[in-house]
Amino acid sequence: MNPTEPEVRADEQAVLADLTRMLRTLLEEYGDDDAEIGMDTTFNRDLELESIDLVTLAGLLEERYGKRVNFAEFLAGMEFDEIIGLTVGRLVEFVVWSLKATEAG
């Protein structure tokens, strides 16, 4: 492990907990930091996040996971409708996959 990168567990529960903290930080700006967040929560419909919020989230993901998780690339591979319907669970799965892929080398 690179000593400059924080230790990260690549399992769904740990990633969901990390992502929930990040989303609460984002939602705090809107006074909505008590929104329910789970695997089926959508970024657009449920959390009402704007595209600028996704940019902020990308920064938070990079802060936490380093270059191992490329959220911008993940979104770039999606159609508009997929981005609108993006769930927390799908992002959790992507983060777990990315972390495991970098662990495997």
Side-chain angles (χ1 to χ4, degrees):
M1 182 168 94
N2 183 336
T4 62
E5 293 180 351
E7 186 175 340
V8 174
R9 289 192 7 237
D11 66 72
E12 281 190 3
Q13 287 304 101
V15 171
L16 177 60
D18 285 344
L19 199 51
T20 298
R21 278 191 299 278
M22 291 175 206
L23 290 168
R24 292 216 183 284
T25 299
L26 275 175
L27 293 169
E28 223 170 59
E29 293 178 27
Y30 301 110
D32 192 19
D33 58 340
D34 61 348
E36 193 162 319
I37 299 171
M39 294 292 273
D40 294 328
T41 304
T42 61
F43 290 97
N44 184 271
R45 284 187 305 273
D46 296 329
L47 301 179
E48 298 179 359
L49 295 181
E50 305 284 331
S51 57
I52 190 69
D53 297 316
L54 295 181
V55 172
T56 303
L57 180 59
L60 293 171
L61 286 164
E62 186 173 328
E63 254 178 51
R64 175 69 177 118
Y65 300 114
K67 300 285 184 198
R68 296 173 288 182
V69 175
N70 190 332
F71 186 50
E73 190 175 274
F74 174 61
L75 290 177
M78 292 183 180
E79 297 292 325
F80 181 74
D81 290 347
E82 287 179 284
I83 294 170
I84 295 299
L86 182 62
T87 62
V88 170
R90 184 157 178 212
L91 179 55
V92 166
E93 289 167 3
F94 170 72
V95 171
V96 169
W97 176 85
S98 295
L99 295 173
K100 287 184 177 179
T102 57
E103 283 173 6

